[in-house]
């Protein structure tokens, strides 16, 4: 492929991915993936263009090839980036069978009841996580599914710096409305990112 055509191709891939990205807060983006094989370009472009990214693979289907490619991309992330990988019991076994993943700034989360080998097992019911994932798949704005308030406690930043994934799970905030579920797993990723941001600001 000629250099000009290659550049145009990569730019088109990046634009396609950016169209599917949601900024859940300044500097932190979210992309939800349904089919890893057909959306491989979107995954690669999102990782390449987002220093801080939540990659939601809950319910995502994918082949072993797609899982290997994802693992390689995460391992190749640049220092100083953060990646939050959201999984559940219905994520492709090609992905979950390869856990644990490693990479600079990578934190893997999943509902604790799914018993996956992740960094942060999140305290939420399978039913609540299912309701949140279904809402996202139906087109709900992720911002409307975040916890409205955080528990009134102060994180020990030194402990967070040493082992960010080991902090105790939080009790889910009661839903304000049965028609609007709270995405506890996504909210947890955002809260962890808050901790990392605070630590970096004090370095």
């Amino acid at each position: 492929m000629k250099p000009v055509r290659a550049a145009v191709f990569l730019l088109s891939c990046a634009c396609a991915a950016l169209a599917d990205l949601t900024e859940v807060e300044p500097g932190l983006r979210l992309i939800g993936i349904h089919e890893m094989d057909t959306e491989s370009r979107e995954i690669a472009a999102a990782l390449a263009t987002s220093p801080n990214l939540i990659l939601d693979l809950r319910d995502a289907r994918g082949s072993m090839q797609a899982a290997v490619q994802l693992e390689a991309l995460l391992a190749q992330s640049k220092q100083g980036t953060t990646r939050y990988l959201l999984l559940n019991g219905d994520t492709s076994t090609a992905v979950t069978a390869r856990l644990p993943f490693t990479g600079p700034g990578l934190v893997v989360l999943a509902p604790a009841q799914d018993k996956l080998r992740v960094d942060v097992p999140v305290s939420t019911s399978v039913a609540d996580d299912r309701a949140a994932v279904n809402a996202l798949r139906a087109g709900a704005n992720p911002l409307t599914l975040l916890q409205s308030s955080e528990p009134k406690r102060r994180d020990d930043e030194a402990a967070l710096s040493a082992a960010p994934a080991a902090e105790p799970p939080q009790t889910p905030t009661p839903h304000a409305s049965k028609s609007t579920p709270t995405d506890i797993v996504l909210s947890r990723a955002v809260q962890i990112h808050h901790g990392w941001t605070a630590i970096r600001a004090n370095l």
Side-chain angles (χ1 to χ4, degrees), residues 25-108:
E25 65 174 41
L28 179 60
R29 291 170 165 174
L30 164 71
I31 185 170
I33 298 298
H34 301 182
E35 299 283 349
M36 293 175 61
D37 291 88
T38 59
E39 296 177 274
S40 59
R41 295 178 181 176
E42 284 81 355
I43 295 173
L47 288 169
T49 58
S50 306
N52 305 300
L53 179 70
I54 300 174
L55 181 58
D56 190 353
L57 294 184
R58 289 175 293 178
D59 285 9
R61 294 182 291 185
S63 65
M64 183 60 68
Q65 179 180 356
V68 171
Q69 180 181 9
L70 172 65
E71 186 175 14
L73 287 171
L74 293 173
Q76 295 167 7
S77 294
K78 296 179 180 179
Q79 293 292 337
T81 61
T82 51
R83 279 76 173 87
Y84 305 96
L85 186 62
L86 311 186
L87 309 176
N88 65 7
D90 291 318
T91 300
S92 169
T93 55
V95 173
T96 57
R98 300 188 67 83
L99 293 172
F101 287 166
T102 59
L106 175 64
V107 180
V108 186

Side-chain angles (χ1 to χ4, degrees), residues 17-18 45 51 59 105 111 158 174 189 200:
L18 289 174
D59 285 9
R200 288 170 174 169

Side-chain angles (χ1 to χ4, degrees), residues 75-163:
Q76 295 167 7
S77 294
K78 296 179 180 179
Q79 293 292 337
T81 61
T82 51
R83 279 76 173 87
Y84 305 96
L85 186 62
L86 311 186
L87 309 176
N88 65 7
D90 291 318
T91 300
S92 169
T93 55
V95 173
T96 57
R98 300 188 67 83
L99 293 172
F101 287 166
T102 59
L106 175 64
V107 180
V108 186
L109 306 91
Q113 292 188 24
D114 286 333
K115 302 186 184 303
L116 299 176
R117 292 180 296 170
V118 298
D119 301 311
V120 181
V122 180
S123 180
T124 184
S125 71
V126 173
D128 284 349
D129 188 60
R130 167 55 47 207
V133 171
N134 287 346
L136 289 172
R137 293 293 185 254
N141 185 334
L143 298 178
T144 67
L145 305 184
L146 295 176
Q147 285 180 310
S148 58
S149 61
E150 297 183 19
K152 294 182 179 179
R153 66 178 182 83
R154 184 180 180 86
D155 287 321
D156 181 341
E157 292 187 358
L160 181 63
S161 179

